[in-house]
PDB file of all heavy atoms in Angstrom:
ATOM      1  N   ASP A 106      -1.790  -8.630   0.495  1.00  0.00           N
ATOM      2  CA  ASP A 106      -0.348  -8.763   0.250  1.00  0.00           C
ATOM      3  C   ASP A 106       0.381  -7.517   0.736  1.00  0.00           C
ATOM      4  O   ASP A 106       1.432  -7.609   1.385  1.00  0.00           O
ATOM      5  CB  ASP A 106      -0.070  -8.974  -1.241  1.00  0.00           C
ATOM      6  CG  ASP A 106      -0.421 -10.372  -1.715  1.00  0.00           C
ATOM      7  OD1 ASP A 106      -0.560 -11.282  -0.858  1.00  0.00           O
ATOM      8  OD2 ASP A 106      -0.558 -10.572  -2.937  1.00  0.00           O
ATOM      9  N   PHE A 107      -0.155  -6.351   0.409  1.00  0.00           N
ATOM     10  CA  PHE A 107       0.440  -5.102   0.878  1.00  0.00           C
ATOM     11  C   PHE A 107       0.420  -5.027   2.398  1.00  0.00           C
ATOM     12  O   PHE A 107       1.431  -4.706   3.036  1.00  0.00           O
ATOM     13  CB  PHE A 107      -0.309  -3.916   0.280  1.00  0.00           C
ATOM     14  CG  PHE A 107      -0.188  -2.645   1.077  1.00  0.00           C
ATOM     15  CD1 PHE A 107       1.031  -1.994   1.187  1.00  0.00           C
ATOM     16  CD2 PHE A 107      -1.299  -2.109   1.719  1.00  0.00           C
ATOM     17  CE1 PHE A 107       1.141  -0.816   1.930  1.00  0.00           C
ATOM     18  CE2 PHE A 107      -1.196  -0.941   2.450  1.00  0.00           C
ATOM     19  CZ  PHE A 107       0.031  -0.292   2.566  1.00  0.00           C
ATOM     20  N   ALA A 108      -0.722  -5.340   2.994  1.00  0.00           N
ATOM     21  CA  ALA A 108      -0.884  -5.189   4.440  1.00  0.00           C
ATOM     22  C   ALA A 108       0.043  -6.115   5.226  1.00  0.00           C
ATOM     23  O   ALA A 108       0.488  -5.768   6.325  1.00  0.00           O
ATOM     24  CB  ALA A 108      -2.337  -5.447   4.833  1.00  0.00           C
ATOM     25  N   LEU A 109       0.332  -7.282   4.675  1.00  0.00           N
ATOM     26  CA  LEU A 109       1.193  -8.235   5.371  1.00  0.00           C
ATOM     27  C   LEU A 109       2.668  -8.033   5.047  1.00  0.00           C
ATOM     28  O   LEU A 109       3.524  -8.279   5.906  1.00  0.00           O
ATOM     29  CB  LEU A 109       0.786  -9.672   5.028  1.00  0.00           C
ATOM     30  CG  LEU A 109      -0.580 -10.117   5.549  1.00  0.00           C
ATOM     31  CD1 LEU A 109      -0.885 -11.541   5.082  1.00  0.00           C
ATOM     32  CD2 LEU A 109      -0.627 -10.050   7.085  1.00  0.00           C
ATOM     33  N   ASP A 110       2.972  -7.608   3.834  1.00  0.00           N
ATOM     34  CA  ASP A 110       4.369  -7.532   3.400  1.00  0.00           C
ATOM     35  C   ASP A 110       4.978  -6.143   3.550  1.00  0.00           C
ATOM     36  O   ASP A 110       6.205  -5.999   3.522  1.00  0.00           O
ATOM     37  CB  ASP A 110       4.494  -7.977   1.942  1.00  0.00           C
ATOM     38  CG  ASP A 110       4.059  -9.422   1.739  1.00  0.00           C
ATOM     39  OD1 ASP A 110       4.100 -10.188   2.717  1.00  0.00           O
ATOM     40  OD2 ASP A 110       3.678  -9.766   0.608  1.00  0.00           O
ATOM     41  N   ASP A 111       4.149  -5.110   3.691  1.00  0.00           N
ATOM     42  CA  ASP A 111       4.655  -3.740   3.772  1.00  0.00           C
ATOM     43  C   ASP A 111       4.114  -3.032   5.014  1.00  0.00           C
ATOM     44  O   ASP A 111       3.723  -1.859   4.953  1.00  0.00           O
ATOM     45  CB  ASP A 111       4.277  -2.961   2.504  1.00  0.00           C
ATOM     46  CG  ASP A 111       4.978  -3.503   1.277  1.00  0.00           C
ATOM     47  OD1 ASP A 111       6.218  -3.491   1.245  1.00  0.00           O
ATOM     48  OD2 ASP A 111       4.282  -3.934   0.340  1.00  0.00           O
ATOM     49  N   ARG A 112       4.118  -3.736   6.128  1.00  0.00           N
ATOM     50  CA  ARG A 112       3.557  -3.175   7.352  1.00  0.00           C
ATOM     51  C   ARG A 112       4.208  -1.857   7.771  1.00  0.00           C
ATOM     52  O   ARG A 112       3.505  -0.940   8.219  1.00  0.00           O
ATOM     53  CB  ARG A 112       3.636  -4.208   8.473  1.00  0.00           C
ATOM     54  CG  ARG A 112       2.749  -5.421   8.223  1.00  0.00           C
ATOM     55  CD  ARG A 112       3.088  -6.593   9.129  1.00  0.00           C
ATOM     56  NE  ARG A 112       2.723  -6.333  10.505  1.00  0.00           N
ATOM     57  CZ  ARG A 112       3.014  -7.178  11.505  1.00  0.00           C
ATOM     58  NH1 ARG A 112       3.669  -8.292  11.248  1.00  0.00           N
ATOM     59  NH2 ARG A 112       2.651  -6.884  12.732  1.00  0.00           N
ATOM     60  N   PRO A 113       5.530  -1.694   7.613  1.00  0.00           N
ATOM     61  CA  PRO A 113       6.120  -0.394   7.984  1.00  0.00           C
ATOM     62  C   PRO A 113       5.525   0.778   7.217  1.00  0.00           C
ATOM     63  O   PRO A 113       5.420   1.891   7.756  1.00  0.00           O
ATOM     64  CB  PRO A 113       7.606  -0.576   7.655  1.00  0.00           C
ATOM     65  CG  PRO A 113       7.849  -2.048   7.768  1.00  0.00           C
ATOM     66  CD  PRO A 113       6.579  -2.670   7.256  1.00  0.00           C
ATOM     67  N   LEU A 114       5.115   0.557   5.972  1.00  0.00           N
ATOM     68  CA  LEU A 114       4.550   1.650   5.183  1.00  0.00           C
ATOM     69  C   LEU A 114       3.189   2.085   5.713  1.00  0.00           C
ATOM     70  O   LEU A 114       2.820   3.262   5.604  1.00  0.00           O
ATOM     71  CB  LEU A 114       4.438   1.241   3.716  1.00  0.00           C
ATOM     72  CG  LEU A 114       5.771   1.053   2.983  1.00  0.00           C
ATOM     73  CD1 LEU A 114       5.532   0.616   1.545  1.00  0.00           C
ATOM     74  CD2 LEU A 114       6.582   2.341   3.015  1.00  0.00           C
ATOM     75  N   ILE A 115       2.442   1.155   6.287  1.00  0.00           N
ATOM     76  CA  ILE A 115       1.164   1.523   6.899  1.00  0.00           C
ATOM     77  C   ILE A 115       1.417   2.425   8.103  1.00  0.00           C
ATOM     78  O   ILE A 115       0.760   3.456   8.287  1.00  0.00           O
ATOM     79  CB  ILE A 115       0.376   0.263   7.313  1.00  0.00           C
ATOM     80  CG1 ILE A 115       0.032  -0.573   6.083  1.00  0.00           C
ATOM     81  CG2 ILE A 115      -0.891   0.644   8.079  1.00  0.00           C
ATOM     82  CD1 ILE A 115      -0.616  -1.908   6.406  1.00  0.00           C
ATOM     83  N   THR A 116       2.395   2.042   8.919  1.00  0.00           N
ATOM     84  CA  THR A 116       2.756   2.859  10.073  1.00  0.00           C
ATOM     85  C   THR A 116       3.240   4.229   9.635  1.00  0.00           C
ATOM     86  O   THR A 116       2.864   5.258  10.220  1.00  0.00           O
ATOM     87  CB  THR A 116       3.849   2.161  10.897  1.00  0.00           C
ATOM     88  OG1 THR A 116       3.373   0.882  11.341  1.00  0.00           O
ATOM     89  CG2 THR A 116       4.241   2.987  12.106  1.00  0.00           C
ATOM     90  N   LEU A 117       4.058   4.262   8.597  1.00  0.00           N
ATOM     91  CA  LEU A 117       4.556   5.541   8.080  1.00  0.00           C
ATOM     92  C   LEU A 117       3.417   6.436   7.626  1.00  0.00           C
ATOM     93  O   LEU A 117       3.398   7.636   7.904  1.00  0.00           O
ATOM     94  CB  LEU A 117       5.507   5.301   6.908  1.00  0.00           C
ATOM     95  CG  LEU A 117       6.970   5.013   7.202  1.00  0.00           C
ATOM     96  CD1 LEU A 117       7.750   5.005   5.894  1.00  0.00           C
ATOM     97  CD2 LEU A 117       7.547   6.035   8.149  1.00  0.00           C
TER      98      LEU A 117
END
Side-chain angles (χ1 to χ4, degrees):
D106 285 342
F107 156 67
L109 293 177
D110 298 336
D111 294 299
R112 294 165 70 185
L114 292 179
I115 297 174
T116 301
L117 275 188

